[in-house]
């Protein structure tokens, strides 16, 4: 079956080669004017010819970005593109183009590197190697990528040799990384915490006594408060717990503070960032080459985290003969990434926020003197009873991130080789054949090391896990292009075939019981606890064709079709057809506008097309490559015999998610191209959305099954304005702004969910509603009598038999309402300005978002009723106490668990403005530079993620697409560096 | 000349294009797909093995929390809801102790529901495709599957519905008996209908397993099936059958010795009276997180949550005081004062009323015991007493109690006093093993934790047995339009 299709493809190619436009001898006239060229699917096009929505960032926009992964820094710079990142150096951000593409399939755009679809991490590419990044947002641009283009395509092109001769550019930066925004406000002094904790127990007792039928248990509320304090174990003061707080609630002034350790200072501190790159451009008539070396050492502000990278690249264009050209791009990158974010109680971000300030970091004896080991190293307190007077810590016992991060490791080392080869042969004038081959080879080694001295790993003598993974991607493209100009008509026809194959294979092992506490070699441990392997294979094949036509450079038309088959679906549902059509009219070239002095260019454009998405996600954002098959895991029964555990159900009927995209817009340049405005209206209709079927556990247990269950639409507008305010000899000033607004609507759900909606987490999906509408209990206020939290309840009154809305303090009975509030912002984008005076330049960029709602789960968790010495928000002074009965926030005590239950109380506007980056540079005078043997020397100071204005201190809406705060997230990192750019 | 050029280019293209020996059929590596298994005739047995394994693994209830580790976690949770077991601080499993677990939004409600329904799904999937009577192997597999299904529904109905007695026509559970159900979910059958199915399944299982010789104590054989049947029939009031099955099941099984009882008998599957359990090894404990396991939660001497983290498990003061001093079962509990205790070469200080019953000399690799012969003595004794065969009942009670307490003499009680004595002895013997709460529900015994001198902690309240019922988890309510929540 496959061979047949191959042969048909060949036949198609042959037909075109033989009977296509091969007869004419007319040649294309050369364009002499310099028109901006933009990278598009399988080639380049002049900007004026584009009928769709394509935006670019050039090398100069990117050269100041300091992120290990280049995509982290583009937030606010490109209309329609949202960037969600974490502070972990080198981490890949989440990119969304024009809204949400799906519920359960990935909404990630496809990344194409140097013409080949890229399945690796962009942290392996240095910013200095990038010539341009193009964002293809509509169907006419994307359809050629068929199955993977539904969420947009990001085309990254690396630098190639240009002009003639030899030129060298080097860039060296040194800087500091630090935590970008302060965390939520919590108690920092043990005195304040003890007082707060005492009050929690005290008012809890007062509230309990107010309940009908409550039995006084003997001790007064004050004594109950003191008794609770004594359970905390660690007393940082010189007087016993029973004397810490007096009956009037004031802290004992005689109490002396015996110790205090600052967890935050020990975990987060400014760190060093160093980067150096060299790019060599060596060109002759026949050979053009670009070679580069880059090095980055990006230490994170969380101790023991960071990203280190070393890379080499060689891009060569070799004109073998006048008809035969060879292009190559070869790169090797070595990178090492150390992670700080882990899950669970050992996560340093959650830990530092939640640990009460009286718990010590360091181990002390019964006299509160620090203890050290025989080498003089600090010993850490894990709260397991080895501390002063055998106290134990109730919060996160066995964990001490400061202690663990001294020795523990969570590290990935990657060796990535990327090889692209292209052969272009001009068969006859106008007819080109290109064969592109891309190979991406990635070997990663994963190391997890748990130390022998403290924490959960020490109870098993230390743990070592190592894994090795090899992944390769092979991509073959055969392209046949024919260009022909007949009078005013220009044609460009492309016919092609592409095969993309990914194979991933790896294994890992774990051992316990180490001999030497510092050696990370497997041999150092003796007890094997796990040995496992896994892998996957993915293949996608497509046939495509594209026609570009223009008349006189005024009227443009393009059409493209692609037929794709993906290994993810069953053979019956495997193949899909995708297409795109575009039209554009360059009005400014018409006679009535040709010589207009105000309007320099004006183009109207429209495009429409259909694309597919096969990128289905399992929970946890891993990709599901076998959606139509039942999947079982193999386990050891304990007697060394294999048994099978079902993991997931397959669905043979699962088919492509398709999205139909409409784009219409205009581009206008005024006043000698000083004012440029680009605006689009877009519509993305996604149908047959892949989602976990809403199966009840009684029918399916915990085994997920995917189906095509619904339809969704994104409708919006985006605009991009850039203005050159001043264009003098010495003085230049320009300004840009972009904004995107879209509405998301679910247009079809399965019949079973049509009336009730589909509840997923904090959101509800309803027909007519959007993907991220909050579904929560509605907070109704605080009962001034006892501080109970109140919520609304809608139920049938048993007497009147009518539905009524009442207020209840029973969380279980309260109703969950569709709040009508959505996490989707009304508008997002960025703006910035660039200011040059003589040799000085200042560039400032912002990103913003307005009109959406987030859910501040972290803030909510700081009003908990846990009794284990977990910190509180300082907004506790806004909560109910008997002394403050009219407070706006409910009572917080040590027993009532639902007082801070999920409700509308924790909804918060996710509006923000972020100062993305600021760069100040000075280009030294040429004579000065020449004295140093350079042709140019620039010195600059650059900083990124410098400031955030949001609705609450500590709340960072940029960390999540839905605005739900995540306590484990590595908070964003700011870098400020001083750098030199040298040209030879 | 041009034609030759065309020809060359065409051939080149053709050559390159046909080198696409592409196969868009891919297979997973590491995991196995259902398609690959179609060729393996032993796959039903291996999938059945997977069911046994999943029943004791972290994640059995579809979550990653440490309270989610299969039957042992659920039995432990049930015991924490009784009068007899106390937890010192509110962490893992604490939601059972303070009854928060009964809420539809609480993760424990989801864990219990999903642990059993996920197994029922796989069991039904296998049964749909299995010809029970084809050969001896299939009979054995079908017998085990039916026993597991009966066991699962038996637990589910006792959590999510009111007790059988007096509530038979009330809403029970969705009775899912095939894996080909419509995706909307089934409505709740009545409690009576559920028990009819449970009884049918377990009796069929007993008959299918008649010649099955199991490779280890991890599989359910006829003896284990009869033990389950005994408990089921005691619940439904079929006392004749309950006593008969209990007798047949415990026939020929030796009871454990004092040494077993006071040292490591409860973490060793080779304990002579184990009828069904699971042998844990380092590979089984590596599934999920090893802290999510029974001994981590219930062994106060171990390096887990109960031990090092001091989330202690204690015995109710009144129950402790009810154990005679001559009974060696008292030795595994601490008295009213803090005391030192040595195990595995380590001596530590322990608070009052702490339990030393469950001791695991390894780091969480201790074996699990699901059913042991002792439980059958009490089931048999009560069943006999309820039939009026009181002298036989007293004799059975004597057989076991005299082994545990040298000073015990044959009971002279009768009527409800005899029943109470049997139940008291049962509570002492099976403390922490997941029987107490179900008996309280069956016997309409209220929860009484408030009394003078009580040592109960954060769950110190009283409840009537009508509160001994879980709400159906939100995940089921939201996705099953036919199901009705408990009021």
């Amino acid at each position: 079956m496959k061979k047949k299709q191959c042969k048909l493809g060949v036949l198609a190619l042959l037909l075109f080669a033989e009977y296509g436009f091969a007869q004419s001898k007319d040649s294309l006239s050369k364009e002499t004017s310099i028109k901006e060229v933009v990278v598009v699917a399988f080639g380049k096009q002049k900007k004026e010819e584009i009928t769709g929505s394509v935006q670019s960032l050039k090398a100069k926009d990117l050269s100041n970005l300091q992120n290990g992964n280049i995509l982290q820094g583009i937030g606010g710079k490109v209309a329609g593109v949202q960037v969600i990142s974490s502070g972990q150096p080198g981490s890949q951000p989440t990119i969304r183009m024009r809204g949400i593409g799906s519920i359960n399939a990935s909404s990630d755009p496809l990344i194409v590197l140097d013409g080949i679809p890229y399945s690796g991490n962009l942290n392996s590419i240095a910013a200095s190697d990038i010539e341009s990044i193009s964002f293809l947002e509509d169907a006419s641009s994307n359809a050629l990528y068929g199955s993977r283009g539904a969420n947009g395509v990001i085309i990254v092109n690396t630098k190639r040799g240009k002009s003639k001769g030899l030129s060298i550019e080097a860039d060296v930066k040194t800087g500091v990384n630090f935590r970008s925004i302060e965390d939520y406000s919590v108690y920092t002094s043990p005195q304040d915490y003890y007082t707060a904790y005492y009050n929690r127990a005290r008012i809890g007792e007062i509230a309990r006594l107010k309940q009908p039928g409550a039995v006084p248990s003997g001790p007064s509320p004050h004594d109950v408060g003191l008794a609770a304090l004594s359970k905390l174990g660690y007393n940082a003061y010189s007087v016993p717990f029973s004397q810490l707080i007096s009956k009037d609630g004031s802290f004992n002034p005689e109490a002396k503070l015996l110790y205090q350790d600052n967890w935050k200072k020990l975990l987060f501190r400014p760190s060093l960032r160093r980067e150096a790159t060299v790019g060599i451009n060596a060109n002759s008539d026949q050979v053009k080459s670009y070679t580069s070396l880059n090095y980055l050492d990006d230490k994170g502000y969380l101790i023991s985290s960071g990203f280190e990278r070393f890379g080499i690249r060689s891009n060569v264009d070799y004109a073998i003969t006048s008809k035969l050209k060879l292009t190559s791009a070869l790169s090797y990158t070595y990178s090492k990434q150390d992670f700080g974010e882990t899950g669970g109680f050992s996560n340093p971000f959650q830990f530092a926020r939640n640990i009460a300030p009286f718990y010590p970091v360091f181990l002390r004896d019964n006299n509160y003197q620090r203890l050290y080991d025989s080498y003089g190293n600090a010993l850490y307190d894990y709260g397991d009873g080895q501390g002063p007077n055998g106290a134990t810590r109730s919060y996160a016992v066995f964990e001490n991130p400061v202690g663990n991060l001294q020795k523990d490791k969570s590290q990935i080392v990657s060796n990535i080789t990327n090889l692209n080869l292209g052969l272009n042969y001009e068969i006859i004038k106008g007819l080109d054949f290109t064969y592109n081959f891309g190979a991406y080879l990635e070997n990663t080694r994963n190391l997890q090391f748990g130390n022998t001295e403290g924490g959960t790993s020490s109870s098993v003598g230390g743990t070592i896990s190592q894994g090795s993974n090899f992944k390769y991607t092979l991509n073959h493209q055969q392209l046949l292009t024919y260009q022909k100009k007949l009078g005013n008509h220009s044609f460009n026809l492309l016919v092609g075939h592409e095969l993309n194959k990914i194979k991933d294979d790896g294994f890992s092992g774990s051992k316990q019981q180490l001999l030497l506490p510092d050696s990370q070699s497997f041999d150092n441990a003796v007890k094997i606890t796990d040995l496992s392997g896994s892998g996957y294979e993915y293949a996608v094949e497509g046939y495509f064709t594209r026609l570009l036509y223009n008349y006189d450079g005024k009227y443009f038309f393009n059409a493209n079709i692609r037929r794709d088959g993906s290994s993810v679906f069953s053979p019956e549902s495997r193949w899909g057809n995708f297409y795109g059509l575009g039209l554009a009219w360059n009005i400014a070239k018409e006679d009535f506008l040709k010589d207009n002095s105000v309007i320099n260019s004006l183009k109207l454009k429209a495009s429409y097309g259909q694309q597919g998405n096969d990128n289905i996600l399992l929970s946890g954002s891993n990709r599901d490559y076998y959606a139509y098959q039942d999947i079982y895991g193999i386990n050891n029964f304990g007697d060394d015999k294999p048994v099978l555990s079902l993991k997931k159900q397959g669905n043979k009927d699962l088919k492509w998610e398709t999205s139909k995209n409409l784009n219409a817009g205009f581009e206008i340049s005024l006043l000698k191209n000083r004012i440029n405005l680009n605006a689009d209206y877009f519509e993305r209709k996604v149908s047959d959305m892949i989602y976990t079927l809403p199966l009840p556990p009684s029918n399916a247990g915990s085994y997920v099954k995917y189906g095509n269950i619904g339809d969704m639409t994104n409708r919006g507008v985006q605009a991009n304005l850039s203005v050159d305010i001043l264009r003098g000899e010495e003085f230049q000033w320009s300004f840009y702004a972009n904004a995107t607004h879209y509405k998301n609507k679910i247009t079809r759900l399965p019949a079973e969910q049509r009336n009730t909606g589909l509840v997923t987490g904090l959101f509800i999906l309803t027909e007519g509603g959007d993907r991220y509408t909050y579904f929560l209990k509605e907070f109704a206020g605080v009962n001034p009598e006892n501080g109970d939290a109140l919520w609304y309840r809608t139920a049938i009154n048993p007497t009147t038999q009518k539905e009524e809305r009442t207020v209840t303090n029973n969380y279980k009975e309260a109703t969950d309402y569709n709040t009508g509030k959505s996490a989707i912002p009304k508008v997002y984008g960025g703006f910035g300005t660039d200011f040059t005076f003589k040799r000085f330049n200042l560039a400032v960029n912002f990103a913003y978002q307005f009109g959406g709602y987030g859910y501040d789960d972290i803030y909510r968790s700081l009003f908990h009723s846990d009794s284990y010495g977990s910190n509180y928000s300082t907004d506790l002074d806004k909560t109910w106490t008997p002394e403050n009965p009219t407070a706006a926030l409910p009572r917080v005590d040590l027993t009532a668990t639902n007082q801070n239950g999920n409700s509308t109380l924790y909804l918060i506007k996710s509006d923000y403005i972020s100062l993305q980056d600021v760069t100040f540079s000075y280009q030294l005078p040429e004579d000065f530079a020449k004295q140093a043997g350079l042709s140019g020397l620039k010195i600059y100071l650059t900083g990124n993620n410098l400031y955030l204005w949001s609705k609450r201190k500590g709340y960072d809406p940029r960390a999540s697409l839905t605005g739900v705060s995540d306590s484990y997230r590595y908070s964003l990192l700011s870098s400020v560096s001083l750098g030199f750019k040298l040209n030879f | 000349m041009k034609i030759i050029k065309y020809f060359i280019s065409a051939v080149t293209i053709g050559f390159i294009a046909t080198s696409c020996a592409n196969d868009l059929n891919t297979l997973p590596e590491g995991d196995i797909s259902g398609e690959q298994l179609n060729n393996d005739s032993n796959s039903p047995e291996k999938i059945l093995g997977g069911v046994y394994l999943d029943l004791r693994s972290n994640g059995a209830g579809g979550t990653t929390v440490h309270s989610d580790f299969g039957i042992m976690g659920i039995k432990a949770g049930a015991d924490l809801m009784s009068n007899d077991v106390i937890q010192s601080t509110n962490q893992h499993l604490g939601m059972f102790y303070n009854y928060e677990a009964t809420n539809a939004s609480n993760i424990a409600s989801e864990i219990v529901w999903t642990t059993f329904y996920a197994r029922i799904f796989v069991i039904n999937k296998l049964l749909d495709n299995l010809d029970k009577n084809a050969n001896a192997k299939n009979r054995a597999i079908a017998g085990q599957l039916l026993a597991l299904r009966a066991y699962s529904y038996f637990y589910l109905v006792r959590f999510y519905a009111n007790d059988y007695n007096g509530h038979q026509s009330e809403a029970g559970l969705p009775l899912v008996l095939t894996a080909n159900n419509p995706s909307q979910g089934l409505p709740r059958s009545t409690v009576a209908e559920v028990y009819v199915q449970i009884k049918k399944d377990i009796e069929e299982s007993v008959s299918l397993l008649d010649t099955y010789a199991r490779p280890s104590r991890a599989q359910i054989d006829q003896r284990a099936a009869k033990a389950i049947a005994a408990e089921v029939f005691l619940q439904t009031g079929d006392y004749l059958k309950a006593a008969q099955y209990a007798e047949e099941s415990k026939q020929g099984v030796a009871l454990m010795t004092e040494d077993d009882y006071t040292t490591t008998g409860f973490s060793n599957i080779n304990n002579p009276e184990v009828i069904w359990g699971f042998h844990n090894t380092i590979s089984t404990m590596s599934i999920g997180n090893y802290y999510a396991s029974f001994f981590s939660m219930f062994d106060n001497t171990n390096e887990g949550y109960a031990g090092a983290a001091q989330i202690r498990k204690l015995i109710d003061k009144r129950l402790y005081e009810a154990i005679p001093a001559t009974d060696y079962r008292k030795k595994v509990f601490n008295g009213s004062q803090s005391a030192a205790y040595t195990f595995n070469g380590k001596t530590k200080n322990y608070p009052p009323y702490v339990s030393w019953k469950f001791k695991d000399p390894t780091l969480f690799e201790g074996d699990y015991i699901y059913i042991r012969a002792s439980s059958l003595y009490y089931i048999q004794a009560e069943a006999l007493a309820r039939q009026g065969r009181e002298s036989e009942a007293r004799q059975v009670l004597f057989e076991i109690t005299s082994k545990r307490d040298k000073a015990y003499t044959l009971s002279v009680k009768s009527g409800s006093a005899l029943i109470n004595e049997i139940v008291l002895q049962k509570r002492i013997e099976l403390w922490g093993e997941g029987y107490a709460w179900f008996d309280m529900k069956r016997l309409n015994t209220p929860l009484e934790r408030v009394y003078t001198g009580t040592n109960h902690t954060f769950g110190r309240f009283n409840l009537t047995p009508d509160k001994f019922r879980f709400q159906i988890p939100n995940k089921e309510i939201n996705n099953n339009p036919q199901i009705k929540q408990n009021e």
Side-chain angles (χ1 to χ4, degrees), chain A residues 2-3 6-7 10 13-14 17-18 22-23 25 323 345 383-385 390 392-395 397-398 425 427-428 431 433 435 455-457 459-460 463 478 480 497 499 501 503-505 512 527-530 533-541 543 565-569 571 574-575 625-626 628-640 642-647 649 652 694-703 752-753 756-759 811-812 867-868 897-898, chain B residues 2-3 5-7 9-14 16-37 40 43 45-54 59-62 89-92 98 100 102-105 110 113-114 117-122 125 174 176 178-179 181-186 216 218-219 278-279 281-284 286-287 290-291 303-305 307-310 363-365 460 471 473-476 478-481 483:
Chain A
K2 297 295 158 294
K3 296 260 174 186
C6 277
K7 296 224 162 69
V10 169
L13 294 175
L14 285 173
E18 299 281 344
Q23 312 304 324
K25 290 189 180 144
K323 290 197 196 301
F345 284 110
D384 54 0
T392 55
R393 180 172 7 113
S394 336
Y395 179 77
V397 63
F398 301 135
Y425 181 64
I427 304 174
I428 57 162
L431 181 66
F433 173 74
Y435 184 80
T456 52
S457 56
S459 59
V460 290
T463 58
Q478 297 98 31
L480 196 65
H497 168 255
L499 173 66
K501 208 173 173 130
K503 191 156 158 55
D504 181 294
D505 193 359
Q512 292 171 359
K527 182 174 182 185
I528 300 177
T529 57
D530 189 59
S534 69
Y536 65 83
E537 246 187 272
Y538 169 71
V540 72
E541 186 181 11
Y543 300 90
S566 162
S567 64
V568 171
F569 303 110
R574 182 163 283 167
W575 291 87
Y625 291 98
Y626 310 100
Y628 73 99
Q629 306 181 39
D630 283 347
I631 297 291
Y632 291 84
I634 307 174
N635 284 312
N636 183 333
F637 193 68
D639 54 357
D640 294 336
V643 291
L644 295 165
S645 293
L646 183 66
K647 279 170 131 174
Q649 296 183 62
K652 286 221 160 13
L695 301 171
S698 61
N699 256 9
S702 47
Y703 308 115
E752 297 92 4
Q753 266 72 33
T756 52
L758 216 158
V759 175
Y811 188 69
K812 271 195 313 187
S867 50
Y868 12 99
T897 49
N898 287 322
Chain B
K2 269 208 187 117
I3 297 180
K5 263 196 184 166
Y6 291 165
F7 185 71
S9 50
V11 167
T12 325
I13 298 166
I16 295 166
T18 48
S19 67
C20 50
N22 16 325
D23 190 1
L24 294 176
N25 286 322
T26 55
L27 289 171
E29 288 170 36
D31 289 336
I32 292 246
S33 76
E35 299 210 344
Q36 288 168 296
L37 283 179
D40 182 357
S43 64
E45 204 176 336
K46 297 195 187 124
I47 299 174
L48 170 61
V51 174
Y52 285 123
L53 184 67
D54 288 341
T89 53
N90 188 0
Q91 289 197 59
H92 307 286
N98 66 5
E100 289 283 318
T102 59
N103 292 336
S105 55
E110 189 181 325
W113 185 266
T114 309
Y117 269 114
R119 312 286 89 68
I120 289 170
F121 177 77
V122 177
K125 212 158 139 68
V176 178
T178 158
N181 283 308
S183 53
Q184 295 130 282
L186 300 174
S216 77
Q219 285 83 18
F278 196 94
H279 172 59
T281 62
I282 187 67
S283 34
T284 63
S286 305
I287 301 173
Y290 57 100
Y291 277 95
E303 291 305 310
Y305 286 121
Q310 298 183 20
L363 191 67
F364 315 131
E365 287 168 44
R460 188 186 298 178
Q471 282 196 318
N474 280 336
K475 205 161 180 190
E476 179 76 29
N478 289 334
N479 292 316
N480 184 346
I483 203 165

